[in-house]
Amino acid sequence: MDGSRPARPFRISIIEYLNAAPLNYGFKHGLAFEQVHLQFQVPSACADQLRTGAVDAGIVSSIEYLRIPGLRIVPGLCIASPKRVRSVGILSKVPPERIRSLALDTSSRSSVVLARILLRERYGTDPECHEMDPDLEAMLESHDAAVMIGDRFMRARREGLLMLDLAEEWHAWTGLPFVFALWLVREDAPALDLPGGTSACFHRSLEQGMANLPAIVEEAWRSIGWTKLELHEYLTENISYRLGESEQESLALFFAKAVRHGFAPTDLPLRFLP
């Protein structure tokens, strides 16, 4: 083997939610296959694997950047929503200011923190919270409301329930997009021996995904139940993959609030891979 290549595979944790599909696409279809090993997990498990060093990189809930030491952000990439996300929200039997008990999707980390901050600061309520598997019927059997994310939220039946779209709530409050997840890489990760280095490889995976959106939509249409037009709009309008200035400003505000509310130990500046 070429001595410049990593002595072990570069281990990437992949989440299977639709909103991550364009970011994952290149890796799932052979990009850097000689150097990359993929694992498939929900976002919370992805973060746990990154913390222990079981993986080198993952699409991780943004709040975990403050909780896991020694991480770097892949510059320019994220999972964000400019205004309305349609796949992350609170489903409630009562108006938001009357929520006294809240079930939290165990798959999520950033979304549950965002939900609790919004309820405290925007609606003046601090419900008792319990983590649960994302089964809406079971969650609402014993709680006023539930936080759910991803494909399960997209498929959830909402008749008779109030729905708060968390990105829409954040945007109405702050005027900013919300950044749900980041590509995070451990400082001790091996470098990828590819043109442009490690960061360029992550960008290439997204480029391949965006070039193959019809295939991604076709697969999602069979499982989620939305129309193909709705799915295309979701991936091109509700979700943004660009980590620009407004997204970084939003992260800074979210991080500051999370620390103030005790959801993260300390604030950190954004540190990027070269």
Side-chain angles (χ1 to χ4, degrees), residues 2-238:
D2 185 338
S4 65
R5 292 195 172 185
R8 60 171 174 79
F10 188 98
R11 301 158 302 172
I12 300 178
S13 183
I14 297 290
I15 60 174
E16 289 280 55
Y17 293 156
L18 175 59
N19 59 20
L23 288 169
N24 294 332
Y25 190 91
F27 292 121
K28 289 178 66 176
H29 289 81
L31 176 65
F33 72 95
E34 294 180 334
Q35 301 181 50
V36 166
H37 175 73
L38 302 181
Q39 299 182 29
F40 297 86
Q41 288 140 347
V42 298
S44 54
C46 176
D48 293 339
Q49 293 280 80
L50 197 62
R51 179 188 298 276
T52 63
V55 298
D56 299 299
I59 302 175
V60 179
S61 296
S62 55
I63 192 65
E64 296 297 332
Y65 176 73
L66 300 184
R67 295 172 171 174
I68 302 173
L71 298 180
R72 294 292 181 266
I73 302 167
V74 175
L77 296 178
C78 68
I79 297 177
S81 178
K83 185 175 181 181
R84 177 172 173 249
V85 67
R86 298 168 68 204
S87 61
V88 181
I90 298 174
L91 294 169
S92 179
K93 297 181 290 187
V94 300
E97 62 274 9
R98 289 174 46 203
I99 295 173
R100 298 293 178 264
S101 57
L102 182 66
L104 306 176
D105 187 338
T106 54
S107 306
S108 172
R109 300 276 168 86
S110 289
S111 300
V112 300
V113 170
L114 174 59
R116 296 184 70 179
I117 290 172
L118 287 167
L119 289 175
R120 287 179 182 181
E121 294 200 18
R122 193 161 161 79
Y123 290 101
T125 185
D126 189 13
E128 182 177 343
C129 295
H130 302 97
E131 292 188 347
M132 295 185 66
D133 290 335
D135 178 329
L136 183 60
E137 184 176 352
M139 295 167 98
L140 292 182
E141 185 177 345
S142 54
H143 297 80
D144 293 330
V147 177
M148 292 186 71
I149 68 168
D151 299 4
R152 283 181 180 265
F153 181 88
M154 297 171 80
R155 289 192 293 261
R157 299 187 64 175
R158 306 173 194 179
E159 293 84 355
L161 299 175
L162 298 174
M163 193 274 285
L164 271 69
D165 183 297
L166 291 184
E168 193 169 37
E169 290 286 316
W170 176 261
H171 183 271
W173 190 31
T174 67
L176 295 167
F178 188 77
V179 180
F180 288 99
L182 300 162
W183 270 124
L184 296 176
V185 182
R186 288 176 58 93
E187 289 176 333
D188 59 0
L192 286 170
D193 181 27
L194 293 163
T198 302
S199 292
C201 193
F202 286 94
H203 281 267
R204 201 166 299 127
S205 181
L206 174 63
E207 290 167 5
Q208 292 182 17
M210 298 308 291
N212 287 275
L213 274 185
I216 293 173
V217 166
E218 179 70 26
E219 183 176 353
W221 171 71
R222 298 177 186 277
S223 61
I224 290 178
W226 290 13
T227 68
K228 293 180 182 180
L229 177 60
E230 287 174 326
L231 291 165
H232 185 271
E233 288 177 348
Y234 171 72
L235 290 169
T236 57
E237 298 178 19
N238 300 117

Side-chain angles (χ1 to χ4, degrees), residues 63 66 254-268:
I63 192 65
L66 300 184
F254 175 57
F255 286 170
K257 288 181 178 295
V259 171
R260 188 162 67 249
H261 284 273
F263 296 125
T266 187
D267 207 346
L268 294 171

